[in-house]
Amino acid sequence: MGPRVTIIGASLAGLRSAEAVLAALPQARITLIGAEPHLPYNRPPLSKDGLSALVAAGGDPTDMKAVFCGLTLRHRLPEGAVDWRLGLRATAVDAARQHVLLSDGTTLGHDWLIAATGLRPRRLPFEGADDRRHVLRSFDDATRLAAALRPGVKLAIIGAGLIGCEMAGTTAALGCKVTLIEPQCQPMLAVLGPRVAAAMAQLHRARGVDLRCGLSVAGLLPDGLRLSDDSRVEADVILESAGSLPNVDWLSGTGIDLSDGILCDNTLSAIGNDRILAVGDVARFPNPLFGGSPRRVEHWGMAGLTARRAAETIAAREAGRAPGTTFAPLPGFWSDQHGLRLQGFGIPTIADETRLIEGDLAMPGTTPCIVEYRRDGRAVAVLGIAAPPAAMAAHRARLERALSETVPA
């Protein structure tokens, strides 16, 4: 009999983990636990064309089902190879006995436990207005939000990160009157840096978004919000997009560092318990491409990369050997806003210098732009705005070569 591998989280990272483990260990006995009742689906479209499709469906059950089917992730799992347990959550772990307690009161034993529980939205610290307040993380969240959107609706979006800005673009195109509120001095400042963020702020305002930076929400009003400068924003609908938190509470008491996701070594094994591994958004691990400091990377592509690494680690240890080569993945991300594609590679957030190497940032979208992010004189990321795929492929390859030169052999 193969090892018992329990995967907590049945979204992209959990699904890819199941595939990778079976590819490496065909006899593995896999149980996949998912908090949602749905089969795994693709989340990024929920802030873009997926939401637009749900609004167009108008609540029609057949059309809503078609939208979900279009989001469902394809997989390579043989029939019957995985024990699916959907609609259940992990609530606690007995690390010594290698048991997981589930929300229905049952327990599961395991030889290996993979945490793929992802993120949950951070909520505003206020009570009330539940009928107007929304978050966007799941298909059900998107369905509820879509029912509240129509042309002329006054929508306040709290938080101008990537998701908040994508939502501003999507809902403005749907005819909503959008106010986008951001505590920082520019939208997406942490991700893009001040120069690019300022250019994107100009784009949002040009497309009709009322962008208010340097302000936070001070309270809820019967017809909207009160901001930190005591100004008021009318809002029929409020979308809270003020960041996210890793879903790791169920691992409390295991002795693992959960201060920011799950602290892992380069094999993705939790430090303090090498029978527990983390993948996707909850994994905080050292990447030698970027100096080796443990970081979480909340990018779609990281789910598959970490899933394969976790499977390699389990397979190697089952065979009695150490995992192989150093894990040094290059993160990649993209965002669609107002019909404009932003695509990046690397980690711009650690840069101390930004260089425009192609194009003009006077108004994003009028000409393709390539921006390079550097730290201590070394490239750590590259971003394309409306850049052709071939150009981005070339810049990605250049960045990979530069970064790989710093990784010990």
Side-chain angles (χ1 to χ4, degrees), residues 370-386:
I370 302 291
V371 179
E372 184 176 84
Y373 296 82
R374 303 173 71 85
R375 182 181 179 89
D376 298 328
R378 181 173 68 95
V380 293
V382 62
L383 173 74
I385 305 175

Side-chain angles (χ1 to χ4, degrees), residues 188-349:
M188 303 172 285
L189 182 63
V191 178
L192 302 181
R195 187 175 182 184
V196 181
M200 291 303 297
Q202 184 181 358
L203 173 68
H204 278 277
R205 291 185 171 115
R207 298 298 175 88
V209 174
D210 180 4
L211 175 60
R212 304 195 188 184
C213 293
L215 298 172
S216 57
V217 176
L220 302 179
L221 301 171
D223 60 350
L225 302 167
R226 179 169 58 86
L227 302 186
S228 53
D229 64 349
D230 211 32
S231 63
R232 300 190 175 200
V233 173
E234 292 185 16
D236 306 309
V237 181
I238 300 167
L239 175 63
E240 299 174 38
S241 184
S244 54
L245 298 168
N247 288 317
V248 295
D249 294 350
W250 57 281
L251 285 164
S252 298
T254 59
I256 298 171
D257 183 340
L258 305 175
S259 57
D260 179 20
I262 300 168
L263 180 61
C264 302
D265 61 22
N266 190 255
T267 72
L268 298 184
S269 302
I271 293 177
N273 190 324
D274 63 6
R275 289 279 167 173
I276 299 177
L277 299 95
V279 297
D281 294 337
V282 298
R284 177 162 54 106
F285 64 94
N287 186 334
L289 289 180
F290 305 98
S293 297
R295 295 184 180 89
R296 288 191 309 107
V297 181
E298 298 176 9
H299 295 326
W300 187 89
M302 196 56 63
L305 295 171
T306 53
R308 289 194 291 274
R309 178 60 167 176
E312 291 168 1
T313 296
I314 293 173
R317 290 185 174 149
E318 282 289 314
R321 54 182 173 80
T325 58
T326 299
F327 184 50
L330 180 67
F333 63 95
W334 77 92
S335 179
D336 294 320
Q337 300 175 27
H338 300 289
L340 193 66
R341 168 60 61 97
L342 286 74
Q343 184 177 16
F345 300 100
I347 305 182
T349 55

